[in-house]
Amino acid sequence: MRILRLKTDLRTLITLLAVASIVITLANSLYASWRVQRDVLIGNTLEANRVYATKLASTTELFFQLAQSQLAYSARTLSEGIDNDATLQAEVDRLREQTNSFNSVVIVDANGWVKAISPESLMLKGMHLNSGAARQALSQRKPLISEPTISAASNLMVFVSWPIWSKTGSYLGYVGGSIYLKKKSILNELLGEQFYRDGSSLFVIDAGNRVLYHQDPQMIGQKMLPPVSDEQRAREVNGYQRVAGSNGEPMLAGYASVPAAGWTIVALKPVAATLTPLNSLLLQVLKHSVPFALLTLIIALLLARLIAMPLWQLARKASKMDTSGVSGEINSIRSWYYEASQIKRAMLAGISVMQDKIGRLKSEVQTDPMTGLLNRRGLNAVLDYFLATAQPFAVLALDIDFFKRVNDTWGHDVGDEVIKAIAAQLQQGARQSDVVCRNGGEEFLMILPAADRATSLAIAERVRMRISERSLEPVGHVTISIGVASWSAGGGTMEQAFKQADDALYQAKNAGRNRVTLAGGCSELPADSHSLTH
């Protein structure tokens, strides 16, 4: 009876151990997935806000350049004199009505007297302007974009001016245009036609932290504590960081500067709104993990029965020692080596089954399902081996040129086919020892073991040529840009090598795409004429 109890306890312990292992493994997987997805969501949102603010800053900068070019043209037109009232009035009307750049346009002589203004309803003609922007334009006599100021018509505005010089070099005055901050203007249309969702917000401040644009009109003209310090804005033209909102709520901020005006555009999104999709992602992970966990549990229960069975048989025979013929039966299981061998083979069979299933799961986790290439997790396993063996290698960072245009023009299904075709070309162009990986989206990585500079550049150019010369229906010719770097033991970290390859890739992009660039800009191979860009 004691042996029978041992059998029951053993099966119970094995079952509890299996259940505990599965629960702990599943919980650890969910937690790891939650942490990874959380970091990815926050990182992507920070970068998206930075890119969004940079795009708006670039658009605003371009607007000011165009506005100043309009004023410069008028200043040249008026260089012969500003005494003809009809000509001056026609010019200010043209400036205001031809484009919607300015709310009002004014021509002021060298003494600060208004010679012409549009619209005339402001009734400032013949008056002497004494605002800070007017005095600054007269005193500095150069193209200016003023700080926010109150106009003679009591409007909070930004004033853009251009000096008027006669052909003999005499200062005649200036022509300027106002952009209202609290009324309808081109600036409000430029920044206001954005889509604010999930608590996202956008505002603009000048160098003195005065609000120039805000979703809340009451904030315009007020000074505020900026989410990004003045030192950081001076140090970086654009960037991102985690900040606290006005109510203490954690926010993700991206910012960019407008050099012409000294403004800073800030895009914000609450951390809570960013992490909203995380719950659904975890449910998806759980949904895909539970079936494998149940299958593993069933296998564990079968193994527990298999392990306990020999001990149960031995206990059963031992309880019948007083019966006839029991010695022969016991003799048949008496060899403990034999029984140990049977248990060992059973365990090995179970381990083999589990390892086979884990191996298949690991292969699926490390492989990109669309292209069949390694994903970044699979690449990390290769890199760990290279690091352990001090194997030097070259890294190629590849990116499909203008891939967004492919998706926008022919749709994502065609885009997926292009990615598959590029992946196939990369595999065909690689050596047998090379490792090809899809890094995400239209980005790929190639690892070339023991490849020196000349070999890595030759392989990169061969891959680039194979892809650029092949026509893909219905897209036509597609090109790629490639950045090349190398790693060797003692020569820096692998992260630095990949960063160098990324930097070289961006250099290739900026240099016109469809080319190979070596880290450090030491080698750059020009593109052919069959690119999608042409």
Side-chain angles (χ1 to χ4, degrees):
M1 292 299 293
R2 286 188 174 182
I3 297 178
L4 190 60
R5 285 188 60 190
L6 178 61
K7 176 210 68 169
T8 303
D9 291 342
L10 180 61
R11 294 185 61 179
T12 301
L13 288 174
I14 294 176
T15 302
L16 289 176
L17 179 61
V19 172
S21 299
I22 292 171
V23 170
I24 293 173
T25 302
L26 184 59
N28 183 66
S29 299
L30 288 175
Y31 178 73
S33 298
W34 178 83
R35 286 300 302 268
V36 170
Q37 293 294 341
R38 181 180 183 274
D39 292 342
V40 167
L41 286 172
I42 290 177
N44 288 347
T45 300
L46 284 169
E47 178 62 16
N49 283 349
R50 184 195 68 80
V51 171
Y52 184 54
T54 302
K55 178 182 177 182
L56 288 180
S58 176
T59 304
T60 305
E61 176 78 7
L62 179 61
F63 161 73
F64 278 122
Q65 291 175 358
L66 292 174
Q68 287 184 317
S69 68
Q70 293 170 2
L71 295 176
Y73 176 82
S74 292
R76 289 193 298 271
T77 302
L78 300 172
S79 63
E80 302 210 357
I82 57 173
D83 297 320
N84 189 320
D85 289 348
T87 300
L88 298 183
Q89 190 60 46
E91 183 62 21
V92 294
D93 287 338
R94 182 192 68 79
L95 269 175
R96 188 178 67 86
E97 296 173 2
Q98 190 173 31
T99 67
N100 61 347
S101 298
F102 305 109
N103 292 93
S104 63
V105 180
V106 65
I107 295 176
V108 179
D109 66 15
N111 296 315
W113 296 96
V114 177
K115 303 292 291 184
I117 189 167
S118 179
E120 294 182 86
S121 59
L122 293 177
M123 301 179 66
L124 296 178
K125 184 175 180 179
M127 294 183 62
H128 187 270
L129 293 183
N130 197 35
S131 65
R135 293 194 304 270
Q136 186 181 16
L138 288 173
S139 63
Q140 296 190 17
R141 299 184 178 183
K142 66 180 182 179
L144 290 174
I145 300 174
S146 76
E147 296 180 357
T149 185
I150 301 297
S151 69
S154 299
N155 291 313
L156 182 62
M157 69 171 189
V158 171
F159 190 66
V160 184
S161 62
W162 198 276
I164 303 173
W165 297 92
S166 69
K167 293 184 177 181
T168 61
S170 299
Y171 179 69
L172 302 180
Y174 62 85
V175 57
S178 63
I179 303 171
Y180 295 161
L181 298 180
K182 288 191 175 182
K183 294 184 178 180
K184 182 179 180 181
S185 67
I186 182 62
L187 185 61
N188 279 308
E189 292 179 4
L190 184 67
L191 299 174
E193 293 182 356
Q194 314 302 327
F195 298 95
Y196 303 108
R197 298 176 299 177
D198 302 328
S200 298
S201 60
L202 178 78
F203 63 87
V204 182
I205 56 177
D206 65 5
N209 298 324
R210 196 173 191 182
V211 179
L212 307 178
Y213 172 81
H214 199 282
Q215 289 171 267
D216 182 4
Q218 300 298 322
M219 291 292 297
I220 297 177
Q222 304 294 322
K223 281 199 172 186
M224 67 177 298
L225 185 64
V228 182
S229 67
D230 296 340
E231 294 77 9
Q232 185 167 350
R233 282 185 285 166
R235 187 171 59 252
E236 299 177 346
V237 176
N238 59 64
Y240 56 74
Q241 67 179 47
R242 300 180 65 167
V243 300
S246 57
N247 57 355
E249 180 183 10
M251 304 287 283
L252 304 176
Y255 65 91
S257 299
V258 182
W263 297 357
T264 300
I265 297 178
V266 182
L268 295 171
K269 186 173 183 179
V271 173
T274 301
L275 299 181
T276 298
L278 193 56
N279 290 335
S280 62
L281 290 174
L282 287 179
L283 288 177
Q284 289 296 320
V285 172
L286 185 61
K287 177 181 176 181
H288 290 86
S289 300
V290 166
F292 294 104
L294 292 176
L295 179 60
T296 305
L297 179 60
I298 292 173
I299 294 175
L301 291 175
L302 293 176
L303 289 175
R305 175 180 171 83
L306 184 61
I307 293 171
M309 183 61 70
L311 293 179
W312 178 80
Q313 289 177 336
L314 184 60
R316 182 182 179 190
K317 300 304 179 183
S319 65
K320 298 179 180 179
M321 291 181 64
D322 57 344
T323 60
S324 169
V326 70
S327 58
E329 296 177 2
I330 293 176
N331 188 55
S332 64
I333 59 172
R334 185 177 178 183
S335 175
W336 291 103
Y337 291 102
Y338 174 79
E339 295 296 332
S341 176
Q342 295 303 309
I343 294 174
K344 181 179 180 180
R345 282 199 291 267
M347 292 181 64
L348 290 175
I351 292 173
S352 176
V353 171
M354 294 187 67
Q355 286 182 340
D356 180 61
K357 292 184 179 296
I358 293 173
R360 290 199 298 270
L361 289 173
K362 185 176 181 181
S363 176
E364 293 175 1
V365 169
Q366 295 183 346
T367 303
D368 176 53
M370 179 188 296
T371 62
L373 302 177
L374 288 179
N375 58 20
R376 193 57 187 257
R377 184 175 295 179
L379 177 63
N380 286 339
V382 175
L383 296 178
D384 288 342
Y385 172 76
F386 285 176
L387 183 62
T389 59
Q391 170 69 59
F393 62 87
V395 56
L396 309 186
L398 310 95
D399 187 272
I400 303 175
D401 296 330
F402 297 101
F403 184 70
K404 183 177 185 299
R405 187 179 301 175
V406 174
N407 280 336
D408 292 345
T409 305
W410 289 280
H412 289 276
D413 290 340
V414 173
D416 291 346
E417 294 303 319
V418 169
I419 289 177
K420 294 177 184 177
I422 296 295
Q425 289 297 312
L426 294 179
Q427 288 180 307
Q428 295 171 14
R431 302 174 303 176
Q432 185 175 4
S433 61
D434 296 339
V435 179
V436 184
C437 163
R438 185 183 179 198
N439 198 29
E442 68 271 24
E443 298 178 1
F444 299 85
L445 291 170
M446 290 182 67
I447 307 301
L448 316 179
D452 57 17
R453 170 180 169 179
T455 302
S456 59
L457 287 174
I459 293 174
E461 177 61 10
R462 180 176 69 200
V463 168
R464 185 193 70 79
M465 290 291 294
R466 287 178 65 96
I467 293 173
S468 65
E469 292 173 355
R470 181 179 179 185
S471 179
L472 303 176
E473 294 294 333
V475 177
H477 290 279
V478 176
T479 65
I480 62 172
S481 298
I482 306 177
V484 183
S486 61
W487 177 85
S488 61
T493 66
M494 290 185 176
E495 289 79 7
Q496 290 173 337
F498 280 88
K499 178 64 167 58
Q500 291 171 357
D502 280 340
D503 292 342
L505 172 60
Y506 284 122
Q507 291 176 20
K509 289 286 188 181
N510 293 333
R513 296 179 169 84
N514 190 19
R515 61 190 62 221
V516 177
T517 300
L518 182 66
C522 297
S523 175
E524 184 168 294
L525 302 175
D528 58 24
S529 60
H530 300 291
S531 154
L532 178 67
T533 62
H534 290 93

